[in-house]
Amino acid sequence: MTEPVEPTESAAAEPVPEPESEPEPESESEPESETTAPLTPASPPPPSRLSRLDRAILAFRSWRRSRPFWGGLIVLLGAAEILTTYQAPFGILVHFGLYGLAGYLVPIVLGLLGLLIVFDPAHRTFYSILSVLAALGTWLTSNLGGFFVGMLLGLVGGSLAFGWQYGERPERPARTRRRRFRVRTRAAE
């Protein structure tokens, strides 16, 4: 960059063109152009403004919402709990029913069904019914279903996966609670 030169008498009569400068970046207080959508708290910012980590989090969130993620994860946690209680070095372990391979096979199948629920949501109904049946089968094969905890996790996860549906949730009007309250107060008078 060169330093500005003071104008002389002859140059004072002629206007000196100012050097072109780069446009200043828009501040957040200025209105946005018509090509970009306005930012609201409900919508994420455009991808160009997000960091790589934020984009990965948003991608995982949309992937997770497109499948019965929590149902499959709970079934998988139930299977892990049943396997750990079956192998735990407690003196109180109850080996009730079938011994040996069935005690390991049923929780492994339950864990596999949990993974299939997450990664193959098209067949979630079939997998969730099988996971409920496998969780009930651990009652006989694996220490009363992992001391009831793993069996209950398998039942709850399978039920969540069975009831999951893809799509947008129907929006409830914001005023329904207020209307119910008004009806109750008028009925009380």
Side-chain angles (χ1 to χ4, degrees):
M1 292 248 173
T2 60
E3 293 184 24
V5 178
E6 292 184 26
T8 59
E9 291 179 24
S10 62
E14 298 176 349
V16 178
E18 294 182 14
E20 294 183 25
S21 62
E22 296 179 6
E24 296 179 12
E26 295 180 19
S27 66
E28 292 181 19
S29 62
E30 293 181 18
E32 295 186 11
S33 65
E34 295 177 9
T35 58
T36 60
L39 297 178
T40 62
S43 66
S48 61
R49 294 187 183 178
L50 296 176
S51 69
R52 179 177 274 169
L53 177 64
D54 291 336
R55 284 189 301 243
I57 290 171
L58 287 175
F60 175 72
R61 183 181 297 161
S62 71
W63 176 82
R64 186 191 70 205
R65 289 179 178 171
S66 68
R67 57 200 65 244
F69 180 77
W70 295 112
L73 185 66
I74 292 173
V75 168
L76 192 61
L77 288 175
E81 197 275 335
I82 292 168
L83 276 174
T84 55
T85 58
Y86 195 71
Q87 296 176 347
F90 298 134
I92 6 172
L93 289 182
V94 180
H95 292 284
F96 183 75
L98 306 171
Y99 290 108
L101 184 62
Y104 291 106
L105 185 63
V106 175
I108 289 172
V109 167
L110 188 62
L112 179 65
L113 288 169
L115 289 174
L116 286 172
I117 287 171
V118 171
F119 292 110
D120 188 15
H123 300 105
R124 65 167 170 82
T125 306
F126 178 68
Y127 297 142
S128 62
I129 291 171
L130 285 180
S131 67
V132 167
L133 293 175
L136 289 173
T138 61
W139 173 267
L140 299 173
T141 60
S142 303
N143 292 323
L144 300 174
F147 299 119
F148 302 108
V149 176
M151 182 182 69
L152 288 176
L153 285 173
L155 290 173
V156 168
S159 300
L160 281 174
F162 184 79
W164 178 84
Q165 290 183 355
Y166 181 73
E168 296 292 325
R169 293 181 184 173
E171 293 192 27
R172 285 179 57 184
R175 302 186 71 196
T176 57
R177 180 180 171 122
R178 190 178 306 157
R179 287 181 187 162
R180 281 191 242 145
F181 181 73
R182 287 183 188 162
V183 170
R184 289 182 188 160
T185 56
R186 288 182 187 161
E189 293 177 358

